[in-house]
Amino acid sequence: MMKTYDILYLLVEILLVILKITYYICENIYTTIVPPKKKSVTGEIVLITGAAHGIGKELAIGYASLGATVVCWDINEENNNKTLNDIKNMGRTSVYAYRCNVANREEVFKVAEKVKKEIGDVTILINNAGIGFAKSFLNHSLDEIERITNINLTGHYWTLKAFLPSMIEKNHGHVVALSSVAGLVGSPYGTIYCPSKVAIKGLMEAISEELRVLSHGKSSVKFTTIYPSLVLTGLVKKPKIRFPWLMRGYKPQEAASLIIDAQRRNYENITLPWFWLPIIKIIRILPDNAIKYIMDFIGIGVYPDD
């Protein structure tokens, strides 16, 4: 049986937990109303995967304009060099471009070593590269399944292995990963894409918590996961939207600006638009059939490409 002292100690611990939870709720409300100040990225070495077009290209331009050294990675060498030249035409010279297939483990480590020798240790890693096809599961080829999984998810492991150790060693750095609203709610024709984005959420949560525990709460390395809805990059060819105001399409430049803002404010999770995250958290406490009814009513998704 528990002694009186042990019971009292447990009650004090429970009270402390309640007080801390209350404090963190109030803190979250406060930071929603009064956002944290943006940290400077001047002089940081920012590596962006998938920088040849879309969000990745706009991220590269955005960070370069803020005084960061930008490293562009993409498998499309020609368009990646166009991003490089566009930034140089802005008068920014601290920009570099490397051809790299993030799905290829050996290539990632090889190019990463080249970056370290020629530029230095990456301090902000943005895992942006991603692809997707709106198809039913049975219509997906085996190659498509493998390709989507390797680029959207496995590539994150290789870049983290390549660049996270130096961040931990210096106790300075930031990892940003692009998931998707489709990584919070599964949808038809996303049987490969959705799981790859769900896994990014799990990976970022796990590695952030692991580093917090291993460092006894002293780690200064930050992690930010972004969940965009519809960004007009051409990835989603046939969007299904009943209420456009709920899922308005973002231009890549708009999305990039919001992502940079989230990273500079050290947000851990943010959806684009912002209100989707609290809405989905609330919806998740409902019965499964209620969730399905709500999703049918909202009518958000994609039509198949095939």
Side-chain angles (χ1 to χ4, degrees), residues 96 129 190 246 251:
Y96 305 85
L246 272 178
K251 293 179 180 179

Side-chain angles (χ1 to χ4, degrees), residues 133-146 148-149 187-193 195 304 306:
F133 306 101
K135 290 185 177 182
S136 64
F137 176 73
L138 295 181
N139 284 344
H140 266 296
S141 70
L142 299 181
D143 286 343
E144 285 173 343
I145 294 172
E146 186 174 40
I148 292 170
T149 304
S187 61
Y189 312 114
T191 50
I192 316 304
Y193 181 79
D306 51 4

Side-chain angles (χ1 to χ4, degrees), residues 48-57 59 73-75 100-103 126-133 144 146-156 159 176-180 192-193 196-197 200 228 231 233-237:
I48 302 160
T49 66
H53 68 283
I55 297 174
K57 179 172 183 173
L59 285 170
W73 275 19
D74 205 288
I75 194 171
C100 185
N101 177 9
V102 295
I126 304 184
N127 279 318
N128 162 74
I131 62 168
F133 306 101
E144 285 173 343
E146 186 174 40
R147 187 177 169 216
I148 292 170
T149 304
N150 286 344
I151 293 174
N152 291 10
L153 173 61
T154 313
H156 288 239
T159 56
V176 179
L178 268 72
S179 179
S180 169
I192 316 304
Y193 181 79
S196 71
K197 295 300 184 177
I200 291 171
V231 182
T233 60
L235 182 65
V236 178
K237 296 178 177 61

Side-chain angles (χ1 to χ4, degrees), residues 45-232:
I45 299 178
V46 184
L47 188 145
I48 302 160
T49 66
H53 68 283
I55 297 174
K57 179 172 183 173
E58 296 300 334
L59 285 170
I61 292 171
Y63 276 108
S65 67
L66 291 170
T69 294
V70 174
V71 183
C72 303
W73 275 19
D74 205 288
I75 194 171
N76 188 324
E77 189 172 12
E78 181 181 354
N79 287 342
N80 203 35
N81 285 330
K82 286 181 181 178
T83 299
L84 170 78
N85 292 328
D86 286 346
I87 293 173
K88 285 189 173 182
N89 288 336
M90 294 166 44
R92 302 288 178 175
T93 57
S94 293
V95 56
Y96 305 85
Y98 297 85
R99 184 199 178 280
C100 185
N101 177 9
V102 295
N104 186 311
R105 180 179 62 188
E106 288 74 19
E107 191 170 329
V108 168
F109 294 151
K110 180 180 178 180
V111 180
E113 282 302 315
K114 194 173 182 181
V115 169
K116 292 173 189 176
K117 290 178 181 178
E118 296 179 358
I119 306 169
D121 289 324
V122 170
T123 56
I124 300 176
L125 168 64
I126 304 184
N127 279 318
N128 162 74
I131 62 168
F133 306 101
K135 290 185 177 182
S136 64
F137 176 73
L138 295 181
N139 284 344
H140 266 296
S141 70
L142 299 181
D143 286 343
E144 285 173 343
I145 294 172
E146 186 174 40
R147 187 177 169 216
I148 292 170
T149 304
N150 286 344
I151 293 174
N152 291 10
L153 173 61
T154 313
H156 288 239
Y157 286 100
W158 309 149
T159 56
L160 284 168
K161 276 287 191 181
F163 300 114
L164 185 58
S166 65
M167 296 184 192
I168 294 173
E169 182 182 351
K170 295 178 179 179
N171 199 27
H172 174 78
H174 204 133
V175 178
V176 179
L178 268 72
S179 179
S180 169
V181 169
L184 298 172
V185 180
S187 61
Y189 312 114
T191 50
I192 316 304
Y193 181 79
C194 290
S196 71
K197 295 300 184 177
V198 172
I200 291 171
K201 179 179 183 294
L203 169 61
M204 290 291 282
E205 288 179 353
I207 200 164
S208 174
E209 183 65 7
E210 180 175 280
L211 192 53
R212 183 187 70 84
V213 171
L214 292 176
S215 69
H216 304 288
K218 296 179 180 179
S219 174
S220 294
V221 179
K222 305 298 182 183
F223 296 86
T224 297
T225 309
I226 310 291
Y227 305 90
S229 53
L230 177 62
V231 182
L232 305 174

Side-chain angles (χ1 to χ4, degrees), residues 225-299:
T225 309
I226 310 291
Y227 305 90
S229 53
L230 177 62
V231 182
L232 305 174
T233 60
L235 182 65
V236 178
K237 296 178 177 61
K238 301 176 184 177
K240 176 186 176 185
I241 305 173
R242 183 180 182 187
F243 303 107
W245 59 273
L246 272 178
M247 191 70 83
R248 76 175 187 84
Y250 285 92
K251 293 179 180 179
Q253 188 176 12
E254 290 180 280
S257 178
L258 292 169
I259 292 166
I260 293 171
D261 183 82
Q263 182 269 317
R264 294 182 66 193
R265 296 187 194 276
N266 290 330
Y267 290 146
E268 292 184 21
N269 296 279
I270 187 168
T271 52
L272 306 180
W274 67 270
F275 54 75
W276 270 114
L277 192 59
I279 287 176
I280 290 171
K281 284 182 178 180
I282 293 170
I283 289 176
R284 282 297 187 191
I285 68 175
L286 299 174
D288 289 342
N289 285 336
I291 295 173
K292 293 172 185 176
Y293 181 80
I294 290 171
M295 298 310 295
D296 287 344
F297 170 75
I298 294 174

